Amino acid sequence: DTEVTQTPKHLVMGMTNKKSLKCEQHMGHRAMYWYKQKAKKPPELMFVYSYEKLSINESVPSRFSPECPNSSLLNLHLHALQPEDSALYLCASSHPTDRVYYGYTFGSGTRLTVV
Amino acid sequence: GQQVMQIPQYQHVQEGEDFTTYCNSSTTLSNIQWYKQRPGGHPVFLIQLVKSGEVKKQKRLTFQFGEAKKNSSLHITATQTTDVGTYFCAGGYTGGFKTIFGAGTRLFVKA
């Protein structure tokens, strides 16, 4: 299995809602990532988990809360989002090593609209 | 801070013409990766370059990593309509998990 599966594919939520994005991989990758991508922009790193521990938080607002329950799963909990948070949220995974990087396998993303 | 600059921002070509996109880092990279994102899709990993001066080929695509490990290029020979999309370089730096994406080059191919 060489895929990263993200659910849901589309999500519309109100500013007072609480929702979660889910990501799953079975490639044995021990690094998992959340990226945010706005239209016509590059992916922007939000969080990095390495061996199920949060290793990078790119100063993301607390209304985004990541969780890594095990080595295959990554969640992003959303609460009290703003319309400007509307974007494509991408999950990715890779082999973690601090010496040689490997390419990321991206999921197909969740297209989030905040109304 | 670490930055990866990518040019051009977009390029229109006639089918059959060649295409090149360039990336430049402000500091030395440990590696560079290249991704392709089709319209409406997600980034797909193409290749990773690690060694100084490295050149790799994938059919019509040629990837180069500069001698100083600060720049890289992707060259497509004889473009096809299936090459349409945005090509991103992403620079990896020693000592962390952070990979910095370039702004991307949008390729338009006219049949």
Side-chain angles (χ1 to χ4, degrees), chain B residues 76-91:
Chain B
I76 301 178
T77 304
T79 54
Q80 299 174 358
T81 54
T82 53
D83 295 325
V84 163
T86 301
Y87 292 85
F88 291 102
C89 62

PDB file of all heavy atoms in Angstrom, chain B residues 76-91:
ATOM      1  N   ILE B  76      12.259  19.727 -19.075  1.00  0.00           N
ATOM      2  CA  ILE B  76      11.404  18.786 -19.788  1.00  0.00           C
ATOM      3  C   ILE B  76      11.650  18.963 -21.285  1.00  0.00           C
ATOM      4  O   ILE B  76      11.517  20.081 -21.809  1.00  0.00           O
ATOM      5  CB  ILE B  76       9.911  19.001 -19.472  1.00  0.00           C
ATOM      6  CG1 ILE B  76       9.658  18.854 -17.973  1.00  0.00           C
ATOM      7  CG2 ILE B  76       9.067  17.986 -20.247  1.00  0.00           C
ATOM      8  CD1 ILE B  76       8.205  19.088 -17.564  1.00  0.00           C
ATOM      9  N   THR B  77      11.993  17.902 -21.937  1.00  0.00           N
ATOM     10  CA  THR B  77      12.226  17.921 -23.381  1.00  0.00           C
ATOM     11  C   THR B  77      10.932  17.582 -24.113  1.00  0.00           C
ATOM     12  O   THR B  77      10.215  16.666 -23.710  1.00  0.00           O
ATOM     13  CB  THR B  77      13.305  16.889 -23.747  1.00  0.00           C
ATOM     14  OG1 THR B  77      14.497  17.159 -23.003  1.00  0.00           O
ATOM     15  CG2 THR B  77      13.615  16.915 -25.232  1.00  0.00           C
ATOM     16  N   ALA B  78      10.653  18.356 -25.151  1.00  0.00           N
ATOM     17  CA  ALA B  78       9.483  18.071 -26.004  1.00  0.00           C
ATOM     18  C   ALA B  78       8.224  17.894 -25.172  1.00  0.00           C
ATOM     19  O   ALA B  78       7.672  16.785 -25.064  1.00  0.00           O
ATOM     20  CB  ALA B  78       9.746  16.845 -26.874  1.00  0.00           C
ATOM     21  N   THR B  79       7.748  18.983 -24.599  1.00  0.00           N
ATOM     22  CA  THR B  79       6.592  18.921 -23.703  1.00  0.00           C
ATOM     23  C   THR B  79       5.374  18.308 -24.387  1.00  0.00           C
ATOM     24  O   THR B  79       5.188  18.404 -25.614  1.00  0.00           O
ATOM     25  CB  THR B  79       6.214  20.321 -23.200  1.00  0.00           C
ATOM     26  OG1 THR B  79       6.028  21.178 -24.338  1.00  0.00           O
ATOM     27  CG2 THR B  79       7.271  20.876 -22.284  1.00  0.00           C
ATOM     28  N   GLN B  80       4.543  17.701 -23.543  1.00  0.00           N
ATOM     29  CA  GLN B  80       3.272  17.137 -23.994  1.00  0.00           C
ATOM     30  C   GLN B  80       2.171  17.738 -23.142  1.00  0.00           C
ATOM     31  O   GLN B  80       2.438  18.268 -22.055  1.00  0.00           O
ATOM     32  CB  GLN B  80       3.296  15.604 -23.844  1.00  0.00           C
ATOM     33  CG  GLN B  80       4.380  14.927 -24.659  1.00  0.00           C
ATOM     34  CD  GLN B  80       4.489  13.439 -24.406  1.00  0.00           C
ATOM     35  OE1 GLN B  80       3.767  12.875 -23.572  1.00  0.00           O
ATOM     36  NE2 GLN B  80       5.385  12.779 -25.126  1.00  0.00           N
ATOM     37  N   THR B  81       0.928  17.630 -23.603  1.00  0.00           N
ATOM     38  CA  THR B  81      -0.187  18.216 -22.837  1.00  0.00           C
ATOM     39  C   THR B  81      -0.321  17.573 -21.472  1.00  0.00           C
ATOM     40  O   THR B  81      -0.822  18.184 -20.534  1.00  0.00           O
ATOM     41  CB  THR B  81      -1.509  18.077 -23.615  1.00  0.00           C
ATOM     42  OG1 THR B  81      -1.712  16.715 -23.958  1.00  0.00           O
ATOM     43  CG2 THR B  81      -1.471  18.927 -24.890  1.00  0.00           C
ATOM     44  N   THR B  82       0.162  16.352 -21.340  1.00  0.00           N
ATOM     45  CA  THR B  82       0.109  15.674 -20.027  1.00  0.00           C
ATOM     46  C   THR B  82       1.107  16.252 -19.024  1.00  0.00           C
ATOM     47  O   THR B  82       1.052  15.925 -17.832  1.00  0.00           O
ATOM     48  CB  THR B  82       0.399  14.174 -20.188  1.00  0.00           C
ATOM     49  OG1 THR B  82       1.626  14.026 -20.911  1.00  0.00           O
ATOM     50  CG2 THR B  82      -0.729  13.472 -20.921  1.00  0.00           C
ATOM     51  N   ASP B  83       2.003  17.117 -19.496  1.00  0.00           N
ATOM     52  CA  ASP B  83       2.966  17.746 -18.579  1.00  0.00           C
ATOM     53  C   ASP B  83       2.384  18.949 -17.854  1.00  0.00           C
ATOM     54  O   ASP B  83       3.019  19.514 -16.961  1.00  0.00           O
ATOM     55  CB  ASP B  83       4.215  18.196 -19.349  1.00  0.00           C
ATOM     56  CG  ASP B  83       4.994  17.033 -19.946  1.00  0.00           C
ATOM     57  OD1 ASP B  83       5.035  15.960 -19.306  1.00  0.00           O
ATOM     58  OD2 ASP B  83       5.541  17.197 -21.057  1.00  0.00           O
ATOM     59  N   VAL B  84       1.169  19.346 -18.224  1.00  0.00           N
ATOM     60  CA  VAL B  84       0.537  20.512 -17.610  1.00  0.00           C
ATOM     61  C   VAL B  84       0.436  20.332 -16.087  1.00  0.00           C
ATOM     62  O   VAL B  84       0.100  19.257 -15.607  1.00  0.00           O
ATOM     63  CB  VAL B  84      -0.860  20.727 -18.217  1.00  0.00           C
ATOM     64  CG1 VAL B  84      -1.702  21.643 -17.349  1.00  0.00           C
ATOM     65  CG2 VAL B  84      -0.755  21.268 -19.623  1.00  0.00           C
ATOM     66  N   GLY B  85       0.731  21.394 -15.362  1.00  0.00           N
ATOM     67  CA  GLY B  85       0.625  21.368 -13.910  1.00  0.00           C
ATOM     68  C   GLY B  85       1.610  22.352 -13.309  1.00  0.00           C
ATOM     69  O   GLY B  85       2.236  23.142 -14.018  1.00  0.00           O
ATOM     70  N   THR B  86       1.730  22.282 -12.005  1.00  0.00           N
ATOM     71  CA  THR B  86       2.676  23.126 -11.278  1.00  0.00           C
ATOM     72  C   THR B  86       3.812  22.259 -10.772  1.00  0.00           C
ATOM     73  O   THR B  86       3.571  21.217 -10.148  1.00  0.00           O
ATOM     74  CB  THR B  86       1.998  23.854 -10.109  1.00  0.00           C
ATOM     75  OG1 THR B  86       0.940  24.659 -10.613  1.00  0.00           O
ATOM     76  CG2 THR B  86       2.995  24.746  -9.381  1.00  0.00           C
ATOM     77  N   TYR B  87       5.018  22.682 -11.047  1.00  0.00           N
ATOM     78  CA  TYR B  87       6.207  21.951 -10.609  1.00  0.00           C
ATOM     79  C   TYR B  87       6.831  22.691  -9.428  1.00  0.00           C
ATOM     80  O   TYR B  87       7.153  23.876  -9.520  1.00  0.00           O
ATOM     81  CB  TYR B  87       7.204  21.809 -11.761  1.00  0.00           C
ATOM     82  CG  TYR B  87       6.676  20.905 -12.847  1.00  0.00           C
ATOM     83  CD1 TYR B  87       5.838  21.395 -13.845  1.00  0.00           C
ATOM     84  CD2 TYR B  87       6.971  19.549 -12.855  1.00  0.00           C
ATOM     85  CE1 TYR B  87       5.318  20.565 -14.821  1.00  0.00           C
ATOM     86  CE2 TYR B  87       6.470  18.700 -13.838  1.00  0.00           C
ATOM     87  CZ  TYR B  87       5.641  19.224 -14.811  1.00  0.00           C
ATOM     88  OH  TYR B  87       5.125  18.384 -15.776  1.00  0.00           O
ATOM     89  N   PHE B  88       6.956  21.986  -8.324  1.00  0.00           N
ATOM     90  CA  PHE B  88       7.543  22.563  -7.113  1.00  0.00           C
ATOM     91  C   PHE B  88       8.895  21.914  -6.836  1.00  0.00           C
ATOM     92  O   PHE B  88       9.027  20.693  -6.910  1.00  0.00           O
ATOM     93  CB  PHE B  88       6.668  22.291  -5.886  1.00  0.00           C
ATOM     94  CG  PHE B  88       5.360  23.016  -5.865  1.00  0.00           C
ATOM     95  CD1 PHE B  88       4.182  22.356  -6.190  1.00  0.00           C
ATOM     96  CD2 PHE B  88       5.286  24.341  -5.478  1.00  0.00           C
ATOM     97  CE1 PHE B  88       2.968  23.006  -6.153  1.00  0.00           C
ATOM     98  CE2 PHE B  88       4.068  25.011  -5.435  1.00  0.00           C
ATOM     99  CZ  PHE B  88       2.905  24.340  -5.778  1.00  0.00           C
ATOM    100  N   CYS B  89       9.873  22.734  -6.491  1.00  0.00           N
ATOM    101  CA  CYS B  89      11.063  22.200  -5.866  1.00  0.00           C
ATOM    102  C   CYS B  89      10.878  22.346  -4.355  1.00  0.00           C
ATOM    103  O   CYS B  89      10.109  23.192  -3.904  1.00  0.00           O
ATOM    104  CB  CYS B  89      12.327  22.927  -6.318  1.00  0.00           C
ATOM    105  SG  CYS B  89      12.371  24.670  -5.897  1.00  0.00           S
ATOM    106  N   ALA B  90      11.567  21.522  -3.597  1.00  0.00           N
ATOM    107  CA  ALA B  90      11.475  21.575  -2.138  1.00  0.00           C
ATOM    108  C   ALA B  90      12.850  21.257  -1.576  1.00  0.00           C
ATOM    109  O   ALA B  90      13.398  20.180  -1.858  1.00  0.00           O
ATOM    110  CB  ALA B  90      10.425  20.589  -1.629  1.00  0.00           C
ATOM    111  N   GLY B  91      13.382  22.188  -0.829  1.00  0.00           N
ATOM    112  CA  GLY B  91      14.738  22.035  -0.310  1.00  0.00           C
ATOM    113  C   GLY B  91      14.759  21.480   1.099  1.00  0.00           C
ATOM    114  O   GLY B  91      14.002  21.942   1.951  1.00  0.00           O
TER     115      GLY B  91
END
